[in-house]
Amino acid sequence: MKVQLENITLSYGDATAVDSLSIDIENGESLVLLGKSGCGKTSTMRCVAGLETPTGGRIVIGDTVVFDSERGINVAPNKRNVGMVFQSYAVWPHRTIRQNVAFPLQQQKLPKDQIRERVAEVLDLVGLTEFADRGASLLSGGQMQRVALARSLVMRPSVLLLDEPLSNLDARLRDRLRVELREIQQRLNLTCVYVTHDQSEALALADRIALMQGGRIVQTDRPERIYDTPSSASIADFLGVSNIFPCTEITSGAGAVLGLTGHEVEVRAEYDAGAPADPSVCIRPEDIRLSEEPSTDGVNNWPGRVEVVSFQGSYVRYRVSLKGGPELDAIVPRRGRELLRPGASVWAAADPAAVQVLPSEVPA
Ligand SMILES: Nc1ncnc2c1ncn2[C@@H]1O[C@H](COP(=O)(O)OP(=O)(O)OP(=O)(O)O)[C@@H](O)[C@H]1O
Ligand SMILES: [Mg+2]
């Protein structure tokens, strides 16, 4: 079901946690709210669920206005048909899995055979059928989180809100549940809002990512587009893009040459038109080439020294210090080649087309 947030503002005393935030979430879409701790992700979710009353704005779920500050509409949380899964599992330890999952339906006083059927269906969906009669205190973290998910899904919510549901789990389990969650969301064509501060989780789970800073959404796009074209250096940095440097000087005109701590960097032509006021240069590690000889054209080719070599199986990650300048990270596919050694002299190169110029921050 479609969800619309219009100019949602939420203040705690003097502090604004959500600042006039607007976004439309499409039916069946998985939207990930991504941002640093304290940027307002949980607060936004709580507004959608009806657990907080925004200071202003409007929230529409499907065709129903569930909140409108001007018209004084505020539908109670249990009438919004919104499911929530949190970081803490909130599973009753003294009940079996089946009893935990059946509980919300019993509250609704559904007939027993219907409850049995729906519980069996969701337990199958989250892969817990064989543990159905096990006491919940005997479960692992991952199983516990599946119970929490099943308990939300059994209510057939029109929107599912997930607030860092995997952050208590170890890395391998997190990776696995991430894929399972995505599969369930797609199979049920469920409208989901997923909150995380983990960029790789966001990239893996989202149809669209909304990047939040200071209670606002600063960029919304498909994961691969946010990764490829972050709208500011601080977003690029947050997404784990390395090789971001402040520019000391921009010479516009033919070629657009930037001074980068003593090194000149030629950037792609489109930045000729107008670079931002406080530019940073961003060159992804996968776009840095390393060779033992200088290139023939000399464009964006800098001498340096290998400092750190980190073998990652299919690729090698190098840290190279440029002569008199910054350090660069380079990711080089292995392809059976010899690894460079620490201390080796190398030339680092980057195609001008792969060099981005970004404003340090998105203007408010
Ligand atoms: N109950 C509250 N009373 C006062 N301030 C609050 C309350 N809840 C949150 N805040 C403040 O509102 C801001 C946004 O908090 P929120 O919990 O939404 O952040 P978040 O993005 O979910 O962070 P995290 O990633 O750490 O969970 C923070 O500055 C926080 O300190
Ligand atoms: Mg939070």
Side-chain angles (χ1 to χ4, degrees):
M1 205 168 282
K2 203 173 146 107
V3 181
Q4 294 164 275
L5 278 68
E6 293 170 19
N7 298 315
I8 293 301
T9 298
L10 175 69
S11 303
Y12 298 107
D14 289 344
T16 306
V18 184
D19 188 3
S20 196
L21 181 146
S22 299
I23 188 156
D24 284 2
I25 303 147
E26 297 303 322
N27 183 32
E29 182 177 39
S30 164
L31 179 89
V32 173
L33 292 180
L34 173 67
K36 290 198 182 106
S37 180
C39 72
K41 306 181 296 293
T42 298
S43 302
T44 305
M45 296 279 249
R46 288 178 61 84
C47 289
V48 177
L51 303 171
E52 300 288 348
T53 306
T55 333
R58 214 166 86 100
I59 301 172
V60 187
I61 299 178
D63 297 324
T64 312
V65 179
V66 295
F67 179 80
D68 189 327
S69 61
E70 277 172 18
R71 289 160 58 198
I73 297 170
N74 193 6
V75 175
N78 60 350
K79 298 272 171 4
R80 293 190 182 192
N81 199 19
V82 168
M84 277 198 91
V85 181
F86 300 97
Q87 178 180 349
S88 60
Y89 319 118
V91 166
W92 291 291
H94 304 302
R95 296 187 182 170
T96 65
I97 293 183
R98 197 191 302 278
Q99 287 165 342
N100 264 284
V101 177
F103 182 75
L105 299 181
Q106 287 161 348
Q107 292 293 97
Q108 288 194 330
K109 306 214 178 343
L110 251 63
K112 279 212 171 72
D113 52 337
Q114 245 187 62
I115 294 182
R116 205 173 311 122
E117 203 174 299
R118 275 171 65 170
V119 169
E121 200 179 281
V122 290
L123 287 180
D124 184 44
L125 191 67
V126 300
L128 282 178
T129 302
E130 58 177 309
F131 305 106
D133 295 306
R134 190 179 278 193
S137 59
L138 304 173
L139 300 177
S140 69
Q143 290 165 334
M144 208 99 92
Q145 200 51 286
R146 279 177 231 235
V147 175
L149 179 65
R151 208 174 43 195
S152 290
L153 290 177
V154 85
M155 297 290 286
R156 300 190 176 155
S158 23
V159 187
L160 186 63
L161 309 178
L162 302 121
D163 193 351
E164 314 237 9
L166 306 182
S167 55
N168 275 343
L169 309 176
D170 69 59
R172 286 174 74 97
L173 191 56
R174 211 158 52 211
D175 279 354
R176 213 174 70 213
L177 278 187
R178 204 181 269 176
V179 178
E180 281 181 29
L181 261 180
R182 181 72 164 140
E183 199 190 329
I184 290 172
Q185 181 265 330
Q186 289 182 335
R187 187 157 6 134
L188 300 179
N189 194 34
L190 200 60
T191 308
C192 267
V193 184
Y194 191 101
V195 161
T196 182
H197 60 265
D198 178 332
Q199 29 90 13
S200 58
E201 194 157 297
L203 295 170
L205 273 168
D207 289 315
R208 237 173 2 138
I209 293 177
L211 249 148
M212 284 189 71
Q213 282 176 354
R216 290 171 161 269
I217 292 175
V218 289
Q219 187 174 8
T220 313
D221 216 329
R222 294 202 311 273
E224 70 277 18
R225 289 192 46 88
I226 290 222
Y227 185 81
D228 289 344
T229 52
S231 57
S232 75
S234 83
I235 293 176
D237 184 37
F238 186 66
L239 291 174
V241 174
S242 55
N243 301 328
I244 301 173
F245 307 104
C247 296
T248 47
E249 176 197 331
I250 293 193
T251 339
S252 63
V257 178
L258 292 107
L260 155 66
T261 49
H263 295 274
E264 297 210 319
V265 182
E266 193 167 321
V267 305
R268 57 184 176 204
E270 64 194 72
Y271 294 107
D272 265 6
D278 56 345
S280 292
V281 192
C282 167
I283 315 172
R284 280 144 215 283
E286 58 268 34
D287 291 325
I288 302 277
R289 297 186 313 273
L290 297 179
S291 53
E292 284 160 60
E293 302 294 327
S295 66
T296 44
D297 61 6
V299 175
N300 290 348
N301 199 210
W302 314 287
R305 178 177 184 276
V306 175
E307 299 293 340
V308 183
V309 180
S310 170
F311 179 52
Q312 313 268 327
S314 61
Y315 64 92
V316 190
R317 195 167 184 121
Y318 293 103
R319 174 149 277 210
V320 175
S321 62
L322 302 187
K323 228 170 232 160
E327 294 195 326
L328 284 182
D329 282 333
I331 289 178
V332 179
R334 173 78 204 290
R335 299 209 181 102
R337 278 188 300 232
E338 282 288 308
L339 269 58
L340 295 164
R341 296 276 149 214
S345 296
V346 281
W347 288 80
D351 189 333
V355 181
Q356 291 179 315
V357 179
L358 302 171
S360 298
E361 296 287 347
V362 187

